[in-house]
C-alpha cells in the first residue's frame, strides 16, 4: 500500500492509538495497587508527623494503628456520623466541592503517652494549585502541636517552601482561639511584629517573602477548615465542664 | 564495529547534546540540585531514548511521512508515562521529587531530535546505540552539574553530608545557597563547556 495515501495514514494512526492505549491501560491497572498503597502509607506518615512521630513509609502503618485511637466523621452541626470510614472514604478534594452541611469533616484522635491530640486534615488553594496538609491540636483544643503542609504545584523556592521544617516549626504552640474561645486561626502575616516568634498568643506567624498568595492560602485554609470543627469542640468542652461540675458537686455532697 | 562505537562515544564528548549541541538545557537547570534526582532522571532518559529509538527504527519503513512527528511524539509520550507509572509504584519518593520533570522528558529536544535525525534513517541496533549514547552524554553532564551543585550548595552528596562539621564550626565555612538556584546551573554548564573546549580544540569555531 502507498505509504503516503490518506487511507494508509488513517489506518496507521488508528492502529497506533489502539496499541498505545491498551499498553498504557494495562500498566496503569497492574501497578495501581502498589501506587495506592504508597499514597495510603504516605497519608499515615503525614498524620503521624504532625504529632512529632517521624517514621519511614513502610513502618507508618503499624504506628498509625497503634497511636490513632479514633477516626471520626464530624458533621457541620458538631455531631458524629459513625457510618463513615474517614481514612478510606473521605477525600477532602471532593468534600470541599459539597455544601458545608453535606460534608464529612475527618478528625483523627491520637493518644501518645496518655496525651490526646486531635488531627485535622486541611486543604485550600495556593497560587497555582491546591495546597493541603494536617494540623494537630493538643487536648486543650486550642494549642497547635504540629503541622504538615504539602502542595501540588507551588513555585519552587517560594510558595513550595511551606513544606520546609523551618516554616512548619513556626506554628508549634500557637493558639487557634482567643480567650473567649472565638476562632482566630493563624495568620501567616507580612506585618508580623514578632519575627522570632516568641509571642505564641498573637495568632500570627511570619510569612515567606515572595509567596504572598500561597501564604494567604495557608491562612485561609486553616481558618476555614478549623471553623467547621468548632461546634464539635464546644460540645467536648461542655461535656468536660459538666463532668468537672458534677465531680465537684459529688465532692460537696460527700462533705455535707 | 568502530563505526558503531563512534555512535556511542561521540555524544559523550565531541557531539555532546548539552555542551555542544546545547539541547536539553531546561531540565539540566531544573533537576540538578540533588545528585539523586539527576541520576534517576538520567536513567529515565536512557530508558526512554533507548526504547523510543528502537521502536521508531523498527517502524521506520511503515510510518506515514505526513504524520511522522505525531507518531514520534506518541511513542515518546507513552514511554514517558510508563516510566512515570513505574517510578510511582517502585520509587515513590523519587517520583515525588522529580514530579513534573519526568513528564517533561517528552518535551526534551534531545529525544525527538535523535528520532528525527537518526532513528528514522538507520537500523535498529545502530539507532539503539545512538539513543543510549546521547542519553549518556546528556546524563553525564546532568550528574556532573548536580555533583557540584549539591556539594557546594548543601554540603551533601546523595543526601549524605560530606563536608565535615569542623569546616562549619571552626573555619566558618558556609554552604553557598546560590548554587541551589537555577542560574548557577547555567554557569556550571558554562564552566564545563569552557573546560571541554580547552581540552578538545576541534570544538572551537574558527573566527
Amino acid at each position: 500500500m502507498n505509504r503516503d495515501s490518506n487511507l494508509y495514514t488513517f489506518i496507521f494512526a488508528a492502529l497506533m492509538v489502539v496499541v498505545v492505549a491498551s499498553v498504557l491501560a494495562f500498566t496503569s491497572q497492574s501497578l495501581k495497587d502498589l501506587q495506592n498503597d504508597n499514597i495510603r502509607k504516605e497519608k499515615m506518615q503525614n498524620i503521624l508527623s504532625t504529632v512529632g512521630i517521624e517514621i519511614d513509609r513502610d513502618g507508618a502503618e503499624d504506628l498509625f494503628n497503634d497511636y490513632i485511637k479514633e477516626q471520626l466523621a464530624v458533621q457541620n452541626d458538631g455531631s458524629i456520623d459513625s457510618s463513615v470510614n474517614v481514612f478510606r472514604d473521605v477525600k477532602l478534594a471532593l468534600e470541599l466541592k459539597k455544601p458545608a452541611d453535606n460534608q464529612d469533616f475527618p478528625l483523627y484522635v491520637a493518644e501518645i503517652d496518655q496525651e490526646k491530640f486531635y488531627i485535622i486534615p486541611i486543604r485550600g488553594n495556593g497560587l497555582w494549585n491546591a495546597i493541603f496538609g494536617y494540623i494537630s491540636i493538643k487536648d486543650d483544643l486550642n494549642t497547635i502541636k504540629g503541622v504538615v503542609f504539602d502542595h501540588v504545584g507551588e513555585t519552587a523556592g517560594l510558595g513550595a517552601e511551606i513544606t520546609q521544617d523551618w516554616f512548619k516549626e513556626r506554628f508549634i504552640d500557637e493558639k487557634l482561639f482567643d480567650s473567649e474561645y472565638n476562632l482566630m486561626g493563624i495568620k501567616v502575616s507580612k506585618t508580623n511584629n514578632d519575627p522570632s516568634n516568641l509571642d505564641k498568643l498573637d495568632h500570627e506567624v511570619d510569612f515567606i517573602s515572595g509567596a504572598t498568595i500561597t501564604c494567604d492560602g495557608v491562612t485561609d485554609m486553616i481558618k476555614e477548615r478549623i471553623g467547621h470543627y468548632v461546634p464539635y469542640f464546644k460540645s467536648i468542652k461542655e461535656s468536660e465542664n459538666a463532668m468537672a461540675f458534677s465531680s465537684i458537686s459529688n465532692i460537696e455532697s460527700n462533705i455535707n | 564495529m568502530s563505526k558503531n562505537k563512534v555512535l556511542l562515544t561521540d555524544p559523550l564528548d565531541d557531539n555532546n547534546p548539552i555542551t555542544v549541541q546545547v539541547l536539553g538545557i531546561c531540565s539540566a537547570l531544573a533537576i540538578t540540585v540533588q545528585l539523586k534526582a539527576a541520576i534517576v532522571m538520567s536513567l529515565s532518559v536512557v530508558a526512554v531514548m533507548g526504547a523510543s529509538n528502537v521502536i521508531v527504527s523498527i517502524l521506520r519503513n511503515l510510518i506515514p511521512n505526513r504524520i511522522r512527528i505525531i507518531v514520534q511524539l506518541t511513542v515518546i509520550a507513552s514511554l514517558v508515562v510508563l516510566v512515570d507509572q513505574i517510578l510511582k509504584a517502585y520509587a515513590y519518593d523519587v517520583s515525588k521529587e522529580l514530579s513534573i520533570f519526568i513528564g517533561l522528558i517528552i518535551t526534551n529536544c534531545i529525544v525527538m531530535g535523535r528520532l528525527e535525525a537518526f532513528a528514522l534513517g538507520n537500523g535498529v541496533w545502530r539507532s539503539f546505540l545512538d539513543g543510549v549514547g546521547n542519553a549518556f552524554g546528556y546524563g553525564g553532564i546532568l550528574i556532573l552539574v548536580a555533583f557540584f551543585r549539591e556539594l557546594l550548595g548543601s554540603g551533601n552528596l546523595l543526601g549524605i553530608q560530606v563536608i565535615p562539621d569542623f569546616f562549619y564550626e571552626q573555619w566558618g565555612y558556609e554552604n553557598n545557597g546560590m548554587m541551589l538556584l537555577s542560574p548557577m546551573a547555567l554557569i556550571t554548564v558554562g564552566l564545563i563547556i569552557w573546560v571541554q573546549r580547552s581540552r578538545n580544540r576541534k570544538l572551537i569555531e574558527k573566527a
Side-chain angles (χ1 to χ4, degrees):
Chain A
M1 193 186 267
N2 177 11
R3 248 212 296 170
D4 286 324
S5 75
N6 285 343
L7 183 64
Y8 181 83
T9 308
F10 274 115
I11 292 174
F12 187 93
L15 273 178
M16 179 179 75
V17 168
V18 171
V19 170
V20 165
S22 22
V23 169
L24 291 185
F26 176 76
T27 338
S28 159
Q29 282 304 315
S30 47
L31 295 177
K32 204 171 194 171
D33 288 341
L34 277 170
Q35 293 170 351
N36 287 343
D37 207 42
N38 284 335
I39 293 167
R40 199 170 58 92
K41 285 181 181 158
E42 190 195 23
K43 190 172 167 186
M44 293 176 166
Q45 217 181 355
N46 281 336
I47 291 175
L48 288 174
S49 82
T50 61
V51 286
I53 298 171
E54 297 298 339
I55 178 80
D56 60 10
R57 215 174 39 247
D58 289 326
E61 185 149 19
D62 289 339
L63 283 189
F64 185 85
N65 294 333
D66 281 352
Y67 288 127
I68 305 296
K69 301 292 179 198
E70 288 178 273
Q71 305 180 18
L72 306 170
V74 177
Q75 306 298 301
N76 209 24
D77 58 5
S79 61
I80 303 286
D81 183 352
S82 54
S83 65
V84 184
N85 180 339
V86 276
F87 185 85
R88 196 191 59 204
D89 295 336
V90 179
K91 301 257 185 299
L92 217 51
L94 301 177
E95 292 296 308
L96 278 168
K97 295 194 174 119
K98 300 180 194 166
D101 283 335
N102 297 341
Q103 284 186 37
D104 290 317
F105 301 101
L107 179 67
Y108 302 94
V109 185
E111 229 177 281
I112 299 162
D113 300 334
Q114 321 273 310
E115 255 191 295
K116 230 177 185 185
F117 299 107
Y118 296 85
I119 304 161
I120 295 171
I122 49 181
R123 190 179 178 98
N125 296 321
L127 173 60
W128 303 113
N129 209 322
I131 49 177
F132 44 88
Y134 295 88
I135 185 163
S136 72
I137 306 173
K138 293 183 182 169
D139 64 355
D140 63 355
L141 295 170
N142 187 1
T143 313
I144 293 178
K145 163 77 175 164
V147 293
V148 48
F149 297 123
D150 208 344
H151 65 97
V152 179
E154 296 308 291
T155 318
L158 300 173
E161 297 290 286
I162 58 168
T163 60
Q164 299 288 321
D165 286 340
W166 53 259
F167 182 68
K168 294 187 289 189
E169 277 159 13
R170 292 177 183 171
F171 289 82
I172 295 173
D173 290 335
E174 288 280 339
K175 310 280 184 203
L176 287 162
F177 295 86
D178 67 5
S179 52
E180 250 80 81
Y181 212 65
N182 297 312
L183 178 63
M184 304 297 287
I186 304 293
K187 188 166 167 39
V188 185
S189 168
K190 265 191 211 184
T191 53
N192 183 19
N193 289 321
D194 174 31
S196 44
N197 203 8
L198 299 171
D199 181 1
K200 296 292 186 186
L201 298 171
D202 61 356
H203 314 291
E204 278 191 350
V205 296
D206 221 15
F207 112 127
I208 303 170
S209 298
T212 307
I213 300 199
T214 312
C215 287
D216 288 350
V218 172
T219 307
D220 292 344
M221 80 173 166
I222 291 176
K223 194 160 185 191
E224 190 269 331
R225 284 284 99 187
I226 304 284
H228 298 291
Y229 294 83
V230 174
Y232 177 67
F233 285 168
K234 283 191 171 157
S235 73
I236 298 181
K237 284 201 165 253
E238 273 162 24
S239 66
E240 275 172 3
N241 287 342
M243 267 168 64
F245 184 76
S246 71
S247 63
I248 290 170
S249 45
N250 275 343
I251 295 166
E252 279 173 348
S253 63
N254 285 344
I255 293 170
N256 293 336
Chain B
M1 183 59 210
S2 69
K3 239 171 92 185
N4 283 351
K5 205 176 140 204
V6 166
L7 291 174
L8 206 52
T9 56
D10 206 35
L12 297 183
D13 187 9
D14 285 359
N15 208 5
N16 189 285
I18 294 184
T19 59
V20 180
Q21 299 175 39
V22 200
L23 292 175
I25 291 288
C26 11
S27 48
L29 304 190
I31 40 112
T32 49
V33 176
Q34 283 167 336
L35 199 49
K36 188 176 162 200
I39 291 173
V40 176
M41 180 72 169
S42 307
L43 293 178
S44 310
V45 171
V46 170
V48 169
M49 281 192 75
S52 64
N53 270 27
V54 166
I55 292 172
V56 169
S57 171
I58 292 172
L59 297 175
R60 70 183 186 280
N61 293 325
L62 297 172
I63 297 173
N65 200 33
R66 277 181 296 174
I67 59 165
R68 68 176 196 286
I69 302 278
I70 299 173
V71 174
Q72 289 164 17
L73 257 184
T74 316
V75 170
I76 301 167
S78 8
L79 287 170
V80 167
V81 174
L82 280 182
V83 169
D84 190 36
Q85 293 283 325
I86 290 169
L87 284 181
K88 270 194 188 134
Y90 294 105
Y92 185 67
D93 297 311
V94 180
S95 94
K96 269 197 75 165
E97 214 165 291
L98 293 173
S99 60
I100 55 167
F101 293 111
I102 287 291
L104 287 181
I105 296 177
I106 300 169
T107 61
N108 192 327
C109 344
I110 302 170
V111 188
M112 221 161 107
R114 292 327 292 172
L115 293 185
E116 181 73 5
F118 198 89
L120 273 179
N122 286 281
V124 176
W125 178 237
R126 283 169 59 78
S127 300
F128 175 75
L129 291 180
D130 178 78
V132 171
N134 273 281
F136 275 125
Y138 163 84
I141 300 295
L142 221 60
I143 291 169
L144 200 60
V145 175
F147 174 83
F148 287 114
R149 287 183 76 188
E150 190 174 356
L151 181 67
L152 300 175
S154 35
N156 298 343
L157 282 178
L158 290 169
I160 301 160
Q161 190 183 338
V162 289
I163 296 189
D165 280 331
F166 65 84
F167 267 57
Y168 299 97
E169 286 154 13
Q170 291 174 19
W171 299 355
Y173 176 83
E174 288 270 354
N175 288 325
N176 184 350
M178 204 159 81
M179 287 304 286
L180 301 176
L181 305 176
S182 311
M184 285 312 287
L186 200 63
I187 290 171
T188 314
V189 172
L191 291 174
I192 292 173
I193 294 179
W194 180 20
V195 172
Q196 190 192 11
R197 292 195 172 202
S198 64
R199 292 174 37 140
N200 191 344
R201 292 267 158 202
K202 65 176 178 266
L203 291 177
I204 302 172
E205 292 89 358
K206 300 259 165 3

